Structure formats: structure tokens, C-alpha cells
Amino acid sequence: MWACVVAAVLLLLLTPPLANVNRLKRRIATSISASLGRPVQLDNVTMHLLPVPGFTLQNFVVSEDPAFGTEPIIRANLVNVTLRPSSLWRRHVEFSSMTFETPSLNLVRNVAGEWNVQSLLMHAASVSTAPTAQRKAGPEPRFPYIEATGARVNVKLGEEKKPFSLTDADFALWLTSPQEWRVRAKGTPTRTDTNISDPGIVKLEGSLKRAATMAEVPVDLTASWTGAPMGEASKLLSGQDAGWRGNLNVEASLLGMLGAAKLTTTIHMEELRRSEFVPLQAMDVRAECRGTVDVTTAVVSDPDCAVTTPIADGAKAAGRVVGIADRLDLSELSDASTLEGAGVRVGMTSVPDAWLLDWVRLFSQRIPAGERPEGTVAGSMVLTSARKKQPARWEGEFHGEIIGLLPWTGEAESGYLVHTVTLTSRASEEGFVMAPLNLTPPGKTPALTLSGTATKSGYALHFAGMTTVAQVQALLALAPPLGDGLEEVLRPDGLVATAKDGAAKGEAIKGETGRVMKVDATCTRAWGLGQTCAAAVAAAPKRRRR
């Protein structure tokens, strides 16, 4: 009986201030609109008294700034709002929490390089509010605890909506002190143009403080991307499976003001290999990158990345990539012209050949596994920035040693090849130029050399000198992709055509494998297409006039 009496008294005390739901509907929309600085629409408001007084908002929509489009910035079918009981008898409505169920958030960057959330953050910073956990009411309203479950975050650059999105996201935002907000988020990255089964988990946590401008906002944020298999990660980043296997873990931190924050990123790829085979030793790659980023413009200055990979003897191979230009626009990484407008230096110091060959195997499934040549590579190349409408160009050189037993000689004493390979760039049209490489040990005959060039469109290799069929077959066994269409061009005339049947054909080839022949052939390949080879046409002898 006493419980009924208490419940009746509470209803009598709480119901009168909440009786006019339609009037409170306007007050709720007005209060939220004033907090966000954007128009807010509600379709329906349902009142509830237990367990605490509050409302359920249906079809909650926050309008977008016309400078960023017409699609709403926030849309939620259901929002649960709880009230602070002491605010029921005051003229303003004060919320203790707001919970968005399966909302949709659109992040938009317009052609001027501005993000639509910038105005929301700056408007929130200009409104004086008390900390969320403050117990007693004061002259300033307390900032509500804002959270979202099952959210979806979409990205739009200009008029183009990108396929990247964050789904099943949980988000929380609250005010810990009058000058500092805390934020926490977790979600699943995905692409709308492909099917990704296991993309991993993305987490974000940190703090933001009040400031007069967006660039001056102090931040201390940490983010991570964990649990993503390499195959699914490559599908997420590029839209297709690159054929890599292993595990990917990424950690990043942002410290300082948004206009010039220190960015530190660590990328760890474990058990990295191709999907077609399991090598004797999978790669364990760790890349650490640093730079200064302007979050408001998505531009990184002076990026510096170091890549390390443990090798068989426990030592580490290291490569370094340093940005030396004015800017690197993160929002346009898919555009090749981004690097042309930013100078980049690629340097290596005593990097083992076996380490480079492991990287080559990641991009080509036809490179034989198990081959681990000895030798090192050192040098640097610089991509100079484009100026006065001139195309960017590479300058510099690499020097390398290849030490290994030649496959067509069984001589351990004299069958080793030690040679320096030099790559230079004389102009943007020529790209990289490889100096002639002697494929025959010193003092051995016949002598065969290899030279070539590589550009943005493809590469060209030139074989010249004297060789045998056996040497060509052994050489192509080391790098099968370079031999597409080459063996037929290099064989002596009639070697295959004279064979009447399979047995005769085998005997003919066996008899001709040691025959020395002159070679002058060029193989070309456009990136992503097949290789074609052609032999040089001998010049016709000049006639002598008597």
C-alpha cells in the first residue's frame, strides 16, 4: 500500500511539468538546435517516467550546412533522451544523456577543403557548459553524455561519396572539465563496392579542448586498426585482394593542435607472404612513420618512414622513405599526381638482396621460392617536385651486388657473379635506366649482358651478346616473368621446326642446348599486361660499286 502511495505522489509531482508534450517537443528541438548550431527536426516525441524521466525521439534529423550539400549530417530513427529531474521546474530543458540507436553520420569535405563537422565543434566550443559528471546544477547547463550504438559513418569528398565507411560503430562523447571533451569510438571498416568478410576493428580514444579556431584545438588522440587479415585489408584499401596473407595491425597517435599536430604511425605486418605458397620464412615487416599533419586540410609535412624486417640471421634490413616537399594531401592519395607535387627520397643502406627478393615475391607468384641470393643494395633516389608546369622527375642512383652460384655453371670457385647495378634517371620520359649488367662470370665465355629502362607506362629489357639455350633456360628459371616470349626469340633458327615428333623434338633441343648463338633482343611490357619480345633485324650489307 505504501509503495502505491509513493508511486501516486511521484506521478502527481512529475506529471504536471511534462503534461504538454507538444510544447516540450518544440523546446527539445530548439534546445538541441541551439547546442549544435544546426536546424533539428523531430517527427514524434514519446514521454516516459520510469526508470528516470525522459523522452523517445523518433526520426531525429540534423540538417546540413548548404555549403556541404543537402543530405542531413545526422539521421537517427530513434533517440532516447533522459532529463535531469531538477531541470523539470526550470525554464530550460537539461539533458543528462542522449543515446542514438543505429544513426547515420555523413563526413563531408567540400572543394574549399573544409569539413562539415568543423562548424559543429567550433559551435560547441563557444557554448559555455558545465562538466557532464557535475552533481549540482549551476548557472551553466551540464553537457550531456552523448553515445551512439550501431552507427554508420560515411565519407564524401565534394560531390563524390567514397566507398569507405565505418559500420556497427559505438561512440561516446562527454565533458570531463569545462575546457576538455573526451571521445571514444569503435567500429568495423568496410567498402560498399566489394564484399569484405573480416576487416578488423578500428578504435579511437582521446581528448579535445576548446579553442578560438579549429586549427588551434589541442588534441591527444590514439587510434588503432587490429585483427585484419592482409587479404581483407588489401581489399578494403584497394578494392581487390592483392594475394597477400598474414595479419595487419596499425597504431597511430595525434598530439598537439589540429593545425600542426605530431603524427606517429606504426604498421606491423606479421607472417607476410603470398597466398599461393608458404615460404620457408614468412616476412615480419614493421614500418614507423612520423610527420606533422594539418588535420583541417588533411596535409602532412615532412613525413619520415623507416621500414625494418628481421632476416634469417637475426639482423634487420632497413629501408627509409623521407618526404622532402611542401605537402602530401591525404585526401588524394589515390591520385598519382599527389606524389609528383611532393618530393620524395627513397634511400637504402646495405639492404640484403634476399630481403628485396622477398618483396618481389609478394607482387609476383611466379618467382621461385627458396632462392636467397647473397649481396646488398645501397643508394638513394629523389623525386623532384614539379615546378613551372614541368613534370616531376627521379634523380639519383642505386648500387647493388649480386653474389651467387650461376645456375648453368657447376664451378663453385669461378661460378660466382659479383657486379654493380646502377639505376639513374636522366629525364622524366626515360625513367630509370639500368646500366649493362654482365650475366657471365669474368673470364668465362660466351658473354651476355642485360640492360633496360623503366617508366610510368612499363619497362624494356635488352639482351645482347653471346649465349646458349642452356644458359637462357637457367637464367629464366630464376625470374620466369622476364622470360615470357624470350626463349623462342633466342633459339637458333629451325631448332623446333625441324623436329618431326615429340621424341625427335626432345633430341633436337638436347643437341642444340650447348650451341653458341648471337643475341640481340628486346622485351617490353606495359604495367599490368603481358610481355612481348622481338629480335633486332640485322642491317643489309652495303653494295660496293666497282
Side-chain angles (χ1 to χ4, degrees):
M1 182 180 65
W2 280 108
C4 294
V5 171
V6 172
V9 172
L10 290 176
L11 289 175
L12 291 175
L13 293 176
L14 297 178
T15 301
L18 303 176
N20 194 338
V21 176
N22 291 329
R23 178 170 57 86
L24 286 177
K25 173 183 175 182
R26 294 190 297 270
R27 292 177 61 182
I28 292 172
T30 303
S31 177
I32 298 177
S33 179
S35 300
L36 299 177
R38 299 282 179 86
V40 174
Q41 291 85 33
L42 304 173
D43 281 356
N44 190 25
V45 176
T46 303
M47 178 185 64
H48 59 80
L49 300 177
L50 298 175
V52 292
F55 302 96
T56 299
L57 314 180
Q58 296 180 356
N59 295 332
F60 178 87
V61 176
V62 179
S63 300
E64 180 63 280
D65 186 337
F68 299 93
T70 58
E71 190 176 359
I73 183 173
I74 300 176
R75 182 189 297 273
N77 294 331
L78 205 62
V79 180
N80 293 317
V81 180
T82 59
L83 297 175
R84 297 186 184 273
S86 59
S87 70
L88 297 178
W89 288 269
R90 297 199 302 268
R91 293 189 176 183
H92 65 275
V93 177
E94 188 176 355
F95 306 127
S96 62
S97 67
M98 295 182 62
T99 302
F100 295 79
E101 296 184 8
T102 63
S104 176
L105 170 65
N106 292 320
L107 295 180
V108 184
R109 186 171 187 254
N110 60 15
V111 292
E114 299 176 344
W115 291 93
N116 60 346
V117 295
Q118 292 182 211
S119 60
L120 293 179
L121 294 176
M122 297 312 301
H123 183 81
S126 64
V127 177
S128 298
T129 53
T132 303
Q134 181 174 301
R135 293 186 177 182
K136 296 182 179 180
E140 298 175 346
R142 286 162 286 186
F143 190 85
Y145 183 86
I146 301 176
E147 62 179 344
T149 59
R152 181 184 183 91
V153 181
N154 305 305
V155 179
K156 185 177 180 181
L157 300 180
E159 297 296 331
E160 180 185 2
K161 178 170 285 188
K162 294 297 182 179
F164 304 101
S165 61
L166 192 67
T167 60
D168 297 329
D170 296 336
F171 173 84
L173 176 67
W174 67 98
L175 190 66
T176 57
S177 69
Q179 299 296 325
E180 183 182 33
W181 285 276
R182 294 288 300 179
V183 62
R184 182 175 62 243
K186 182 179 71 172
T188 303
T190 187
R191 287 180 68 109
T192 58
D193 55 355
T194 187
N195 184 22
I196 302 176
S197 60
D198 188 8
I201 297 295
V202 172
K203 295 181 180 180
L204 174 68
E205 187 171 358
S207 64
L208 302 90
K209 296 183 179 180
R210 298 178 187 268
T213 63
M214 189 69 180
E216 297 174 345
V217 173
V219 296
D220 185 2
L221 301 173
T222 58
S224 64
W225 180 19
T226 59
M230 285 301 304
E232 300 299 295
S234 62
K235 288 174 62 177
L236 178 66
L237 297 176
S238 64
Q240 57 185 359
D241 191 345
W244 294 5
R245 295 298 179 263
N247 298 316
L248 173 67
N249 294 289
V250 181
E251 296 180 355
S253 63
L254 195 66
L255 181 62
M257 296 186 296
L258 286 180
K262 298 298 182 182
L263 176 64
T264 303
T265 305
T266 301
I267 304 173
H268 191 194
M269 293 177 283
E270 302 174 313
E271 301 294 328
L272 186 60
R273 60 177 179 83
R274 284 203 63 85
S275 59
E276 294 83 5
F277 59 87
V278 178
L280 299 177
Q281 180 183 4
M283 298 180 65
D284 189 5
V285 181
R286 187 179 185 88
E288 297 182 355
C289 300
R290 301 176 184 273
T292 302
V293 59
D294 185 349
V295 179
T296 60
T297 59
V299 172
V300 180
S301 302
D302 301 326
D304 180 354
C305 295
V307 181
T308 58
T309 304
I311 53 179
D313 57 0
K316 289 186 176 181
R320 181 169 291 273
V321 181
V322 182
I324 60 175
D326 299 334
R327 50 185 285 146
L328 179 62
D329 196 333
L330 296 178
S331 64
E332 299 178 355
L333 285 180
S334 60
D335 189 356
S337 63
T338 301
L339 287 179
E340 293 186 357
V344 176
R345 183 173 72 248
V346 181
M348 297 181 183
T349 304
S350 300
V351 174
D353 292 345
W355 183 74
L356 294 178
L357 188 59
D358 288 339
W359 278 102
V360 173
R361 290 192 180 101
L362 291 176
F363 294 93
S364 177
Q365 59 181 344
R366 299 174 59 189
I367 302 298
E371 296 290 343
R372 302 191 66 82
E374 299 180 4
T376 58
V377 177
S380 64
M381 299 291 293
V382 177
L383 176 66
T384 59
S385 301
R387 296 178 180 177
K388 297 180 180 180
K389 297 183 179 181
Q390 296 293 327
R393 48 183 286 174
W394 285 97
E395 297 177 350
E397 61 184 17
F398 281 102
H399 300 272
E401 285 185 334
I402 305 175
I403 305 174
L405 183 64
L406 292 177
W408 57 81
T409 67
E411 307 173 11
E413 295 80 14
S414 60
Y416 282 86
L417 170 65
V418 181
H419 195 87
T420 300
V421 182
T422 303
L423 286 81
T424 60
S425 179
R426 299 170 186 158
S428 59
E429 292 79 11
E430 295 184 21
F432 297 102
V433 179
M434 184 177 69
L437 171 63
N438 186 8
L439 299 178
T440 306
K444 292 291 183 178
T445 57
L448 179 66
T449 61
L450 170 65
S451 60
T453 60
T455 64
K456 294 180 181 179
S457 58
Y459 67 80
L461 299 176
H462 183 216
F463 296 85
M466 306 298 292
T467 186
T468 64
V469 174
Q471 291 180 353
V472 172
Q473 292 175 343
L475 176 64
L476 299 184
L478 296 177
L482 301 181
D484 294 341
L486 177 63
E487 191 173 357
E488 287 74 10
V489 174
L490 298 183
R491 285 178 179 175
D493 295 337
L495 174 62
V496 178
T498 55
K500 299 298 182 180
D501 53 21
K505 179 178 179 180
E507 292 296 328
I509 295 178
K510 182 178 179 181
E512 295 288 348
T513 53
R515 183 175 129 187
V516 178
M517 58 183 175
K518 185 177 181 180
V519 175
D520 189 2
T522 301
C523 296
T524 60
R525 182 194 298 269
W527 300 120
L529 301 178
Q531 177 174 285
T532 58
C533 298
V537 179
K542 295 182 180 180
R543 292 185 177 181
R544 293 184 178 182
R545 181 173 297 178
R546 180 176 296 178

